Amino acid sequence: MPGSTTLGPGHGADAIDHPDATRLAALTGALHRLLSEDGPNRITDAQAAALCGGGAREREEFTAWMERVAARLEAAVAD
């Protein structure tokens, strides 16, 4: 559907409006940067643990996942 991005595998996929998909892409990109970059705005290990529902040891996996999600959303809204 033009002007939307489809989320979900095959059956029962949900579509969101392009402006919402663009906003979600920006949000996931910003979250990835806050997880991965050094500096005063970096998400702490405790905050990362709260976001991914586990311990700080899962930070790397969560950061990598967020990077993949952000890239896929950015590519989807660029179409």
Side-chain angles (χ1 to χ4, degrees):
M1 169 185 334
S4 67
T5 298
T6 302
L7 303 173
H11 303 70
D14 291 317
I16 60 174
D17 292 333
H18 191 269
D20 289 339
T22 301
R23 188 174 186 186
L24 185 58
L27 176 64
T28 57
L31 180 55
H32 173 257
R33 283 187 298 282
L34 292 172
L35 284 162
S36 61
E37 294 179 354
D38 291 328
N41 294 326
R42 179 182 170 97
I43 290 176
T44 67
D45 286 343
Q47 291 168 324
L51 286 170
C52 65
R57 67 187 186 287
E58 296 177 8
R59 179 189 191 105
E60 291 78 18
E61 188 278 329
F62 182 59
T63 302
W65 175 76
M66 187 56 56
E67 181 178 29
R68 290 190 305 273
V69 170
R72 291 184 72 185
L73 283 168
E74 288 173 15
V77 298
D79 290 341

